[in-house]
Amino acid sequence: MDISVVIPLYNEEESLPELCSWIEKVMKDNRFSYEIIFVNDGSTDKSWNVIEELSNKSEHVKGIKFRRNYGKSPALFCGFEKAEGDVVITMDADLQDSPEEIPALYNMIITDGYDLVSGWKQKRYDPLSKTIPTKLFNATARAVSGIKNLHDFNCGLKAYRKDVIKNIEVYGEMHRYIPYLAKNAGFSKIGEKIVHHQARKYGKTKFGLNRFINGYLDLITLWFLSTFGVKPMHIFGFLGSIMFIFGFIAVAAVGCMKLYNMYAGNHYSLVTDNPYFYLALTTMILGTQLFIAGFLGELIARNSQERNKYQIEKEL
Ligand code: UDP
Ligand code: MG
């Protein structure tokens, strides 16, 4: 099979028939063999009935129905598990992404050899309150992930080589960082294609402004996991040692000052009257705590199923 289109959706009943017939038209015009996988993420409207109808009409339409709303990442995860095409396309169900882009995306994967191609909504039809934070968000994501050539990490329209989606695990709200996940899994040929974007025709957006706060937290988590996931001591031990040494030197200095003043016959007071003593003490305690966190991290990492999970590309 050439293409699997994976579409996560939550309460998008109005858009589905139009989206489905548009995709089918593009596929027929280009003679692709394909499947469309609708992942109904616990919609409370009639989305599932619509999917059932579409599936009865066309053998290409498949569906997954969650019992409740889990989020876009879990929906993508299950869609990816089911996908069989050589190239997997993800797109939003709200008709903001155009199926007309599919053939070009397919060619970039198959002919140009990209592992992953992300859409770039260069001209967006979203409110300003969304586009400005998005710019900031993408700049940070570029800096942290080291994928310098992507302008739009969170674009719903993306194309993947089958290997990519079978070897990464999207969970939580990590759908924003799939290119970063792919890069961490060793898929380095990541490209971008400018895509058309439209204003939402039906329904309303499912993500509020808290997407940016959560987005940043997830980015930090990913960075942490990819850098120190299997060697937590390297960060906790390092920070802990620095803090402890710093505190130790400071305590010693406070003590030496008092001894010096005693012998020199100057005025002196109890070390416990010196505020620096408490700061130094706290630093030493925190340093020790960080160090212990490092040990605990190592114990956890040792038990992790991921600890010896490597991407083996070929074997002879
Ligand atoms: N979506 C989903 N589960 C959710 C929230 C959203 O499957 O919990 C789907 C939604 O139906 C749409 C896509 O994810 O197909 C993108 O959502 P939306 O268009 O609301 O995001 P935006 O375009 O505002 O970033
Ligand atoms: Mg949308």
Side-chain angles (χ1 to χ4, degrees), residues 10 18-19 25 38 41 76 86 106 146 163 187 192 202-203 205 209 214 231 244-245 260 298:
Y10 177 53
E18 203 173 320
L19 179 68
K25 179 179 172 301
F38 287 106
D41 182 13
L76 284 175
D86 299 333
Y106 177 83
D163 284 348
F187 298 99
E192 184 169 65
Y202 310 102
T205 176
L209 278 179
N214 296 339
K231 42 180 191 209
F244 186 88
I245 292 170
Y260 171 78
E298 288 290 337

Side-chain angles (χ1 to χ4, degrees), residues 47-64:
S47 294
W48 183 247
N49 302 33
V50 178
I51 295 169
E52 276 179 336
E53 266 169 44
L54 292 171
S55 173
N56 287 338
K57 267 190 270 171
S58 160
E59 45 163 352
H60 301 288
V61 177
K62 300 173 183 172
I64 298 174

Side-chain angles (χ1 to χ4, degrees), residues 10-39:
Y10 177 53
N11 294 346
E12 311 276 7
E13 56 182 2
E14 303 100 325
S15 317
L16 296 179
E18 203 173 320
L19 179 68
C20 188
S21 56
W22 195 358
I23 296 175
E24 299 218 285
K25 179 179 172 301
V26 172
M27 295 296 182
K28 280 196 192 101
D29 290 350
N30 292 276
R31 296 210 183 84
F32 287 128
S33 57
Y34 67 99
E35 61 180 353
I36 306 175
I37 303 172
F38 287 106
V39 189

Side-chain angles (χ1 to χ4, degrees), residues 104-141:
L105 288 170
Y106 177 83
N107 284 334
M108 283 178 82
I109 302 276
I110 295 295
T111 320
D112 304 342
Y114 282 100
D115 293 319
L116 185 166
V117 182
S118 179
W120 173 17
K121 298 163 282 187
Q122 194 176 30
K123 187 153 176 35
R124 289 184 72 132
Y125 296 89
D126 278 320
L128 264 190
S129 62
K130 189 159 145 193
T131 50
I132 292 174
T134 298
K135 283 218 162 70
L136 224 85
F137 163 86
N138 279 309
T140 325

Side-chain angles (χ1 to χ4, degrees), residues 8-10 12 41 69 93-94 96 130 200 205-206 211:
L9 62 112
Y10 177 53
E12 311 276 7
D41 182 13
N69 177 244
D94 53 6
Q96 289 195 274
K130 189 159 145 193
R200 219 180 212 283
T205 176
K206 308 298 182 306
R211 74 168 84 195

Side-chain angles (χ1 to χ4, degrees), residues 127-172:
L128 264 190
S129 62
K130 189 159 145 193
T131 50
I132 292 174
T134 298
K135 283 218 162 70
L136 224 85
F137 163 86
N138 279 309
T140 325
R142 268 198 299 278
V144 174
S145 68
I147 307 172
K148 302 272 187 305
N149 58 336
L150 283 198
H151 294 85
D152 191 358
F153 275 74
N154 193 17
C155 183
L157 182 55
K158 286 189 172 61
Y160 309 83
R161 182 183 302 286
K162 187 182 186 181
D163 284 348
V164 178
I165 53 125
K166 298 291 181 193
N167 284 297
I168 58 173
E169 198 172 325
V170 196
Y171 68 98

